[in-house]
Amino acid sequence: MVQAYILVQTEVGKAAAVAAEIAGLAGVISAEDVTGPYDVIVRAESDDVDALGTLVVARVQNVNGITRTLTCPVVKLG
């Protein structure tokens, strides 16, 4: 199982709608509105890195109102 945080920038005023839509996608654990340089932080999981890429590129990035994403895979150090 691969987990990742997906940091999302949205168009002005779209953060709540983007978070709500992303929260309903399969593979998404949570999607929260936040303040700062990113507007939404998503926690997602998938079976492998390829499936994670598909989730981000084919589903998350197709949500209306998103301008940029940054995917941060979770790693176990030590």
Side-chain angles (χ1 to χ4, degrees):
M1 187 68 61
V2 176
Q3 294 188 344
Y5 289 96
I6 306 166
L7 310 178
V8 180
Q9 292 179 333
T10 70
E11 296 172 3
V12 175
K14 299 278 187 163
V18 166
E21 187 169 344
I22 292 173
L25 297 176
V28 171
I29 298 168
S30 64
E32 305 288 340
D33 305 26
V34 296
T35 59
Y38 293 94
D39 303 305
V40 177
I41 296 181
V42 178
R43 177 85 185 225
E45 67 180 5
S46 59
D47 291 333
D48 54 42
V49 174
D50 292 333
L52 177 64
T54 299
L55 170 63
V56 173
V57 174
R59 294 208 207 112
V60 172
Q61 290 182 351
N62 281 328
V63 171
N64 188 33
I66 290 179
T67 58
R68 173 175 282 168
T69 64
L70 174 66
T71 303
C72 304
V74 174
V75 296
K76 308 284 190 238
L77 302 174

